[in-house]
Amino acid sequence: MRKNTFLRVGLVLTALVVGFIVLGLFWTPYSPNAMDFSRLLPPSAAHPMGTDKFGRDILSRVMVGAGDTLLIALGTVAIGTVVGTLIGALTGWYGGWVDELLMRLNDALASFPSILILLVLVSLLGGGREHMTLALGIVFIPSYARIVRSEFARARTQNYVHSAELMGASTARILFVHILPNIWHTLVSAITIGFNNAVLAEAAMSYLSIGVSPDEASLGYMLSESQSMLDSAPWYALGTGAVIVLLILGVSLIGEGLQRGEN
């Protein structure tokens, strides 16, 4: 299999899911929260994914819920990557007390179970998309910081960095113009893994009714609802879970393709 086959397949799958989500921003077959007496209908021309126990169209709810999941995952990765990269760059470059202070704080945050930190943060901040994104982003910072720190510490001894120092380049330029582009492949791998973890974390929190409000369409909460109906209405779980699986698979293949392209 050629190296870029993973990338192509990943791009196609991701584009299909993202296109499905973008369509949901402008149009859905039915109102996501519109209830009807036609409860637990199997997939049909009128309801391609069937209906739930309240008669709501599952396809419409999946389109809206997938959009929330995507936005939360992207926001989580953005917060974790930006803050984690800054911390990792400073600690990897300067070392000494800066490294000791920031990394000890980083280790202290990483030492607690992620789910416990999420529960505390959501309790303090409250529910909703924005607060869930912020809470997940904070939890993801330590992993990005540690990865970037090791890369910057290794790059600190490279010849191209010494050459930039001799030419009088500023520290900021060396860090973000010379070193950062040379470790992008490591960051891409971390970002793809982090994105998939964020999708699963958001779904897990919503599954526990802790994340996005149950009144809103949420893939995790829909999976929680469908658990008790696997025998009577298996299409509920299959349709919802398929979107999560395809999104994660597509992003994973993109990361794999980019990694293979580097080798």
Side-chain angles (χ1 to χ4, degrees), residues 61-261:
R61 292 182 61 76
V62 167
M63 293 173 75
V64 174
D68 287 343
T69 297
L70 178 63
L71 289 176
I72 291 174
L74 289 175
T76 296
V77 170
I79 294 172
T81 302
V82 172
V83 180
T85 297
L86 288 174
I87 294 175
L90 292 175
T91 55
W93 177 262
Y94 288 107
W97 69 268
V98 176
D99 182 24
E100 195 68 25
L101 175 62
L102 292 179
M103 291 313 295
R104 293 298 75 78
L105 291 174
N106 189 75
D107 291 342
L109 185 60
S111 64
F112 292 95
S114 298
I115 188 66
L116 178 60
I117 299 176
L118 281 173
L119 290 174
V120 172
L121 290 174
V122 171
S123 297
L124 293 174
L125 298 173
R129 300 182 190 89
E130 296 80 8
H131 294 159
M132 175 56 61
T133 302
L134 179 59
L136 285 171
I138 292 173
V139 170
F140 277 51
I141 288 173
S143 58
Y144 285 103
R146 186 162 292 283
I147 292 171
V148 173
R149 173 185 177 273
S150 63
E151 290 295 318
F152 270 79
R154 181 181 59 81
R156 181 73 176 84
T157 61
Q158 300 298 309
N159 290 332
Y160 72 89
V161 174
H162 294 318
S163 298
E165 288 181 302
L166 291 175
M167 293 175 64
S170 65
T171 299
R173 181 175 179 81
I174 292 174
L175 292 178
F176 301 110
V177 176
H178 294 279
I179 297 180
L180 189 59
N182 283 285
I183 67 167
W184 78 272
H185 56 283
T186 302
L187 270 179
V188 166
S189 178
I191 288 171
T192 54
I193 294 173
F195 177 87
N196 290 339
N197 288 338
V199 170
L200 293 175
E202 187 280 328
M205 295 295 285
S206 297
Y207 183 90
L208 299 172
S209 302
I210 300 174
V212 178
S213 171
D215 296 333
E216 304 176 27
S218 167
L219 297 183
Y221 188 73
M222 290 170 69
L223 283 176
S224 176
E225 281 187 328
S226 67
Q227 184 177 7
S228 61
M229 296 177 281
L230 289 177
D231 293 332
S232 58
W235 56 85
Y236 194 178
L238 290 175
T240 306
V243 175
I244 297 177
V245 171
L246 289 176
L247 179 59
I248 291 176
L249 179 60
V251 174
S252 297
L253 289 175
I254 290 175
E256 181 69 19
L258 292 174
Q259 285 281 9
R260 288 173 176 258

Side-chain angles (χ1 to χ4, degrees), residues 34-77:
M35 299 184 185
D36 199 290
F37 291 108
S38 53
R39 301 175 182 177
L40 296 179
L41 290 180
S44 63
H47 300 281
M49 287 188 179
T51 61
D52 64 11
K53 63 182 180 180
F54 296 109
R56 297 174 298 192
D57 182 63
I58 295 176
L59 175 59
S60 300
R61 292 182 61 76
V62 167
M63 293 173 75
V64 174
D68 287 343
T69 297
L70 178 63
L71 289 176
I72 291 174
L74 289 175
T76 296
V77 170

